[in-house]
C-alpha cells in the first residue's frame, strides 16, 4: 500500500491550487456569516468575502492568534451550531486559559483520514498493529492517532501514556510494528528496555511516529539506533486538528502537509509578510474544510520552512521542513535567541551524551545566566578527573560555538533529572519577575 | 601486582558522599581505603573495599556512575626519602602518573597505589631498578 488517497496525495500542483482556492472562497463566506470575530476583523480592514476569489487573495486575510481563541473561550469562535459538535479537545494551558476546539462529525472523519494518510506514509497498512502511547483525553495525540489507525483498518492498541512496564509488556505481547509517542518518551522507553534486561529482538517494532514536541536529527539517530526502527516525524496542533497535519514519508526529508485540508503559509514573524518556499519563518495554517472551529491564517509560533521539491515517494503534497523551534519557547539570553533543540543537538553530538538535560535560565546581578545540567553516565565516567574535565570543557566550548552564548555546564548524578512521560519540559526560566 | 579500585562520580551536591557510604554499608561492604579527587564542579571518590565487584554493582543500582580500574601497588619501607626515590625512577623513564595515593598496612609498611597508563611497562622499569613491588594480596 503506497498511498491512502493517491488522487489527492499525488495531485498536480495546478489542480491542488484550484481545489484549495475554491475551498478558501467558501470558508471565508462561512466564517464571515457565522463567526463574529472574523466578521469584525474583516470589517475593520474593509474586506468583503467577495474580495476573496482564490488562493491569490490569501494575503489579504487577517491573522488569527491564540489569544483570539482564549478571548472567545469556550465556544465564541465555533462556526457550527452546538448540536453538530460531537467532540471537544483542549490544549495544555501552561499560561492562563485553555484553548478549546470543537469537531463536527465531518471534522473527525477528515482528521481520521489525514492521520490514516500519515500512517500509510510511514509504511503502515490495514494489517499493522499500532501501539499508541500518546495520552488519551483532552490532548489530541491519543485519540487522533487512534481514529486514524481505525480509519486505515489497522489494529489500534490504545495504551495511552505512562506505566512504562505495561507498555513494554504490551509491545512485546502484541508484537506491534508501529509505536506512536513523543520522541522523548521513545528515548525513555529505549532506556527502560535495557534496564528490564530486554533487547529489541523481544519486539517486532518497525517504525515509530513521533511528535508533539520538536526534536533534532541527532535525536532521530539516537532513537533509530536504540530502538532499531525508522523514526518518523509527525506534526500537528489541536487548533488545526491534532496530529496528522503533516507527516514524513519513507524519504524522511520533510513532512507532507495534508494541504487539501490544512493550507500552510510561511510568514516573516516580525512583518507577517508571506515568504516563499525554502525560507524559514513562522508557520501559519488555514483550515480549508473545518466546520467546528475553522481558522483563518492561524499563527502557530512554530518556525519552519516549506518545500515544493518533487518527492521520491511520488506525493506532490508540499513538505514542511523540521520545526526549527518555536518563537515562543525561544529563550532570549543576553540578547541571543537560543532554542532548547540547539542545546540538545550539541549534547547528542558530543561523544554520545544521552539527551538527559535540563536548562536553567536565571538573572543574577542583572545578567542573564544559562546553566545546563547534564547527567553523568557509566559511558562518560572516568576514574581520572582530567578526562571528565576534558568532556566538561568540550561541552562548554561546543555549546558556546553552537548557541553563541556561554553556558555553565553542570554534570549531575545519573537518573537525577526528571524523566517525562509526555511532553518533555526541558527549561526552567527563573528570570520571571526579575526582568 | 595490581590492586583493584572502584571510582565513583560525585555530583557537587549536599550529602552525596554520605549517600554513597550508606549504599556500601547497606550491602555490608567494608571500606579499606577512600580518597576523593575534587574539582570545583564535581568529585571522584576512589575506594578499595572488601568486595569491589559487589560495590560497583550496588552503587550502579543506586544510581551512581562507577567504574573499576587497576592500580599498580608498590610496597615500600615507611622511611623518609623512599617515595622520592621511586618517583624519580618513574620520572627518569618518562612514566606519567595520572594519580597516586598511599596506604599504611598493618605490618607497618607503606603501600603506594599508582594509576599509570601502562602497568606492565611500569612494573618492568621498577623491577629493573630494584624496586620492590607488592607481591602478595593485602586486600
Amino acid at each position: 500500500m503506497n498511498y491512502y488517497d493517491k488522487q489527492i496525495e499525488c495531485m498536480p500542483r495546478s489542480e491542488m491550487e484550484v481545489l484549495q482556492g475554491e475551498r478558501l472562497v467558501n470558508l471565508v463566506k462561512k466564517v464571515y456569516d457565522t463567526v463574529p470575530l472574523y466578521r469584525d476583523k474583516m470589517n475593520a480592514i474593509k474586506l468583503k468575502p467577495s474580495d476573496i476569489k482564490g488562493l491569490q487573495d490569501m494575503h489579504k486575510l487577517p491573522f488569527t492568534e491564540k489569544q483570539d481563541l482564549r478571548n472567545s473561550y469556550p465556544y465564541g469562535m465555533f462556526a457550527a451550531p452546538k448540536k453538530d459538535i460531537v467532540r471537544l479537545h483542549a490544549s495544555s494551558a501552561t499560561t492562563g486559559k485553555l484553548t478549546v476546539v470543537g469537531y463536527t462529525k465531518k471534522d473527525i472523519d477528515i482528521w481520521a483520514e489525514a492521520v490514516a494518510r500519515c500512517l500509510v506514509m510511514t509504511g503502515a497498512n490495514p494489517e499493522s498493529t499500532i501501539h499508541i502511547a500518546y495520552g488519551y483525553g483532552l490532548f489530541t495525540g491519543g485519540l487522533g492517532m487512534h481514529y486514524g489507525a481505525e480509519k486505515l483498518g489497522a489494529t489500534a492498541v490504545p495504551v495511552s501514556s505512562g506505566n512504562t512496564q505495561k507498555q513494554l509488556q504490551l509491545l512485546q505481547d502484541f508484537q506491534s510494528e508501529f509505536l506512536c509517542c513523543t520522541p522523548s518518551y521513545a528515548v525513555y522507553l529505549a532506556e527502560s528496555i535495557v534496564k528490564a534486561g530486554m533487547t529489541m529482538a523481544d519486539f517486532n517494532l518497525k517504525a515509530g511516529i513521533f511528535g508533539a514536541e520538536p526534536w533534532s536529527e541527532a535525536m532521530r539517530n539516537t532513537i533509530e539506533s536504540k530502538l532499531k526502527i525508522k523514526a518518523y516525524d509527525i506534526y500537528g496542533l489541536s487548533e488545526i486538528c491534532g496530529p496528522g497535519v503533516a507527516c514524513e514519508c519513507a524519504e524522511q526529508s520533510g513532512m507532507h502537509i495534508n494541504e487539501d485540508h490544512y493550507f500552510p503559509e510561511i510568514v516573516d514573524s516580525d512583518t507577517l509578510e508571506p515568504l516563499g518556499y525554502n525560507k524559514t519563518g513562522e508557520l501559519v495554517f488555514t483550515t480549508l474544510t473545518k466546520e467546528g472551529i475553522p481558522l483563518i491564517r492561524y499563527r502557530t509560533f512554530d518556525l519552519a520552512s516549506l518545500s515544493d521539491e518533487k518527492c521520491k515517494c511520488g506525493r506532490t503534497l508540499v513538505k514542511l521542513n523540521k520545526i526549527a523551534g518555536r518563537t515562543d519557547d525561544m529563550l532570549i539570553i543576553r540578547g541571543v535567541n537560543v532554542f532548547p533543540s540547539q542545546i540538545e543537538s550539541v549534547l547528542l553530538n558530543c561523544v554520545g551524551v544521552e539527551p538527559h538535560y535540563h536548562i536553567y535560565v536565571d538573572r543574577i546581578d542583572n545578567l542573564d545566566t544559562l546553566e545546563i545540567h547534564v547527567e553523568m553516565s557509566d559511558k562518560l565516567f572516568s576514574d581520572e578527573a582530567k578526562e571528565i574535565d576534558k568532556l566538561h570543557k568540550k561541552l562548554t566550548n561546543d555549546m558556546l560555538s553552537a548557541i553563541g552564548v556561554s553556558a555553565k555546564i553542570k554534570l549531575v548524578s545519573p537518573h537525577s533529572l526528571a524523566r517525562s512521560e509526555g511532553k518533555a519540559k526541558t527549561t526552567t526560566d527563573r528570570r520571571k519577575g526579575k526582568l | 601486582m595490581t590492586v583493584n579500585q572502584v571510582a565513583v562520580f560525585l555530583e557537587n551536591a549536599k550529602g552525596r558522599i554520605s549517600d554513597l557510604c550508606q549504599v556500601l554499608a547497606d550491602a555490608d561492604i567494608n571500606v579499606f581505603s577512600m580518597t576523593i579527587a575534587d574539582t570545583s564542579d564535581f568529585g571522584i571518590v576512589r575506594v578499595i573495599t572488601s568486595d569491589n565487584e559487589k560495590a560497583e554493582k550496588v552503587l550502579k543500582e543506586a544510581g551512581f556512575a562507577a567504574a573499576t580500574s587497576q592500580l599498580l601497588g608498590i610496597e615500600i619501607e615507611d622511611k623518609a626519602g623512599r617515595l622520592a626515590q621511586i618517583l624519580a625512577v618513574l620520572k627518569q623513564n618518562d612514566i606519567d602518573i595520572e594519580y597516586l595515593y598511599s596506604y599504611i598496612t598493618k605490618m607497618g609498611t607503606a603501600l603506594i597505589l599508582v594509576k599509570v597508563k601502562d602497568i606492565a611497562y611500569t612494573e618492568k622499569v621498577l623491577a629493573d631498578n630494584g624496586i620492590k613491588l607488592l607481591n602478595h594480596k593485602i586486600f
Side-chain angles (χ1 to χ4, degrees), chain A residues 110-130:
Chain A
I110 288 175
W111 179 22
E113 196 187 310
V115 174
R117 288 184 200 168
C118 294
L119 290 168
V120 174
M121 284 182 209
T122 67
N125 61 50
E127 301 281 317
S128 306
T129 304
I130 300 174

Side-chain angles (χ1 to χ4, degrees), chain B residues 8 17 36 39 48 59 66 93-95 113 132-134:
Chain B
V8 191
I17 192 153
I36 303 178
T39 73
I48 298 174
L59 285 168
N93 288 277
D94 281 332
I95 295 170
L113 301 165
K132 191 179 158 197
L133 296 166
L134 177 66

Side-chain angles (χ1 to χ4, degrees), chain A residues 228-247:
Chain A
K228 310 230 180 325
I229 57 171
K230 292 274 265 178
Y232 295 102
D233 201 0
I234 189 168
Y235 177 81
L237 62 166
S238 64
E239 296 90 323
I240 302 307
C241 65
V245 172
C247 186

Side-chain angles (χ1 to χ4, degrees), chain B residues 28-127:
Chain B
D28 202 23
I29 294 168
N30 190 16
V31 177
F32 294 148
S33 151
M34 172 180 274
T35 63
I36 303 178
D38 65 314
T39 73
S40 55
D41 299 309
F42 61 89
I44 297 174
V45 173
R46 304 180 181 117
V47 288
I48 298 174
T49 70
S50 53
D51 187 342
N52 283 351
E53 203 178 317
K54 187 173 166 194
E56 187 188 0
K57 185 171 167 281
V58 295
L59 285 168
K60 281 185 174 176
E61 280 168 3
F64 286 91
T68 52
S69 41
Q70 297 296 320
L71 307 178
L72 182 62
I74 308 166
E75 198 174 5
I76 59 173
E77 286 167 80
D78 191 6
K79 209 170 126 188
R82 285 295 282 147
L83 180 58
Q85 196 187 349
I86 291 164
L87 296 183
V89 169
L90 296 182
K91 181 181 163 187
Q92 280 150 20
N93 288 277
D94 281 332
I95 295 170
D96 288 334
I97 295 169
E98 303 300 339
Y99 56 83
L100 170 157
Y101 55 97
S102 65
Y103 177 81
I104 305 292
T105 69
K106 282 176 190 148
M107 288 87 81
T109 52
L111 184 64
I112 305 298
L113 301 165
V114 197
K115 175 74 189 274
V116 289
K117 284 236 149 51
D118 190 340
I119 289 181
Y121 174 67
T122 312
E123 275 180 330
K124 188 184 170 296
V125 166
L126 290 172

Side-chain angles (χ1 to χ4, degrees), chain A residues 333-334 359-361 368-372 403 405-408:
Chain A
I333 296 160
R334 281 171 253 152
I359 301 163
Y360 293 93
V361 185
D368 292 341
T369 62
L370 176 62
E371 186 166 315
I372 305 166
I403 63 179
V405 57
S406 64
K408 179 175 161 54

Side-chain angles (χ1 to χ4, degrees), chain A residues 120-306:
Chain A
V120 174
M121 284 182 209
T122 67
N125 61 50
E127 301 281 317
S128 306
T129 304
I130 300 174
H131 181 101
I132 302 166
Y134 283 116
Y136 278 63
L138 284 175
F139 172 53
T140 51
L143 285 164
M145 295 312 292
H146 184 99
Y147 273 63
E150 286 189 354
K151 184 88 170 176
L152 174 61
T155 308
V157 186
V159 196
S160 195
S161 56
N163 200 345
T164 304
Q165 285 317 307
K166 194 170 180 187
Q167 303 263 1
L168 292 184
Q169 191 198 328
L170 295 180
L171 275 169
Q172 184 178 29
D173 293 352
F174 297 163
Q175 293 285 292
S176 304
E177 294 108 339
F178 291 81
L179 167 67
C180 305
C181 61
T182 58
S184 56
Y185 189 60
V187 174
Y188 181 73
L189 270 181
E191 277 189 351
S192 305
I193 286 170
V194 174
K195 236 190 233 163
M198 301 167 99
T199 69
M200 290 320 295
D202 296 320
F203 303 95
N204 189 32
L205 280 177
K206 293 186 171 61
I209 303 162
F210 307 119
E213 56 192 25
W215 46 307
S216 59
E217 215 38 52
M219 192 152 174
R220 186 206 304 270
N221 295 337
T222 298
I223 293 173
E224 291 196 335
S225 72
K226 289 195 171 191
L227 288 177
K228 310 230 180 325
I229 57 171
K230 292 274 265 178
Y232 295 102
D233 201 0
I234 189 168
Y235 177 81
L237 62 166
S238 64
E239 296 90 323
I240 302 307
C241 65
V245 172
C247 186
E248 284 180 334
C249 63
E251 300 302 316
Q252 292 180 310
S253 62
M255 297 176 271
H256 288 288
I257 300 176
N258 284 310
E259 56 173 312
D260 52 325
H261 299 297
Y262 316 119
F263 183 82
E265 287 176 276
I266 296 287
V267 301
D268 183 297
S269 52
D270 294 326
T271 65
L272 299 183
E273 284 304 313
L275 301 172
Y277 289 117
N278 305 314
K279 291 214 171 83
T280 299
E282 186 178 326
L283 181 61
V284 170
F285 277 105
T286 298
T287 62
L288 296 175
T289 53
K290 245 175 125 178
E291 296 179 332
I293 181 161
L295 298 176
I296 306 269
R297 307 190 86 194
Y298 181 73
R299 297 184 59 183
T300 64
F301 288 96
D302 282 327
L303 284 174
S305 65
L306 296 175

